[in-house]
Amino acid sequence: MDVNRVVTLDQFIVERQSHFPYGKGDLTRLLSDIAVAGKIVNREINQAGLVDILGEAGELNVQGESVKKLDLYANEQFIAAFKAGGEISGVVSEEDEFLTPLNTGLSKDGQYVITMDPLDGSSNIDVNVSVGTIFSIYRRVTKHGDVQLEDFLQKGTEQVAAGYLIYGSSTMLVYTTGRGVNGFTLDPTLGEFCLSHPEMKYPEDGTTYSINEGNYSHFPNGVKKYIKYCQERDPATNRPYGSRYIGSLVADFHRNMINGGIYIYPNTETNPNGKLRLLYECNPLAFIAEQAGGVATDGKNRIMEIEPTKIHMRVPYFAGSKNMIKVAHDFMEEFPEE
Ligand code: P6P
């Protein structure tokens, strides 16, 4: 990359849109809308300690999780951006129990639908730990009128784009349209996302494992065996690995994609199907991981091949460096549940 040339997100998308197999310009507008909403959410997160937007909103979401004020704020900002853009016909959000039709009845119904986790890891906001937004974009299956459930219950292989924003020590937007993964860092002096991580590649190996070991007693046998494998001393395979888990999926995923590593959220007693949601956490990050050369499975099967049955469906999640995932799979196969 010409280090002297600043490439903004909009410039990059326009240069690339000629390759995008769908509507010319549709995706440009859509990704730009996401970037604008991301900047607005970023601004609020950075001020969270100063304005009355921290803390609980005093309600539970469909997941039964306490909703933070910033969760609702982020949800509103992204949905407003999609309404303004006109490209999106409907949204499934972690924050809303049901799908939300948008922009239908217009002269040109938006041809896309989006699934999103508007603010993942929001329990970390009050303690100033990185959080993120995760999204998947699909072409709608129905052609006109209000979107239907079938527009969202599409396999991850049908995604036309996916990405995440990470609100951390810097704010980044990382996305794919199926032609590799590129990362953009927000330059606050310009107010623009600028290309900073072109053609991101998931290292084939890593020495970091990310899992909430507090749930160890509930883990499947194969996961328990894999954790012990990670902790054994074997210099020839760079073990013991380091344990890094900050309770924010986007932050753990992003670090592991840059350095190499594996993130695992298996089924547990509290979450017998796993905790993470297929449509707006697992599938978008699986698309990113695979496009960067990584792997994402449920411990056996490719995440993006799983047939969704409900919009808030949960699945066990193994995502990371392909050689680490293979070893984890071997333990899952060798030590199945009784
Ligand atoms: P636990 C946040 O709620 C989240 O969905 C992910 O961002 C994170 O990795 C995980 O849940 C943390 O869950 O059960 O380890 O606190």
Side-chain angles (χ1 to χ4, degrees), residues 111-128:
Q111 291 312 303
Y112 301 106
V113 295
I114 200 161
T115 64
M116 70 169 175
D117 184 352
L119 206 57
D120 179 76
S122 56
S123 57
N124 286 310
I125 289 169
D126 298 6
V127 294
N128 208 11

Side-chain angles (χ1 to χ4, degrees), residues 11-25 27-28 177 179:
Q11 289 169 327
F12 184 86
I13 297 170
V14 169
E15 287 167 15
R16 287 291 186 98
Q17 76 169 4
S18 56
H19 301 299
F20 189 60
Y22 303 108
K24 300 288 180 244
L27 186 72
T28 305
T177 58
R179 295 176 52 80

Side-chain angles (χ1 to χ4, degrees), residues 65 94 117 120-124 134 211-212 215 245-250 252 263 265 271 275-277 281:
E65 296 163 344
E94 184 198 39
D117 184 352
D120 179 76
S122 56
S123 57
N124 286 310
I134 314 171
I211 189 169
N212 184 343
N215 296 321
Y245 187 80
I246 71 168
S248 252
L249 170 61
V250 173
D252 282 320
Y263 173 102
Y265 206 110
N271 293 294
K275 176 182 182 184
L276 302 185
R277 277 56 57 122
E281 290 172 321

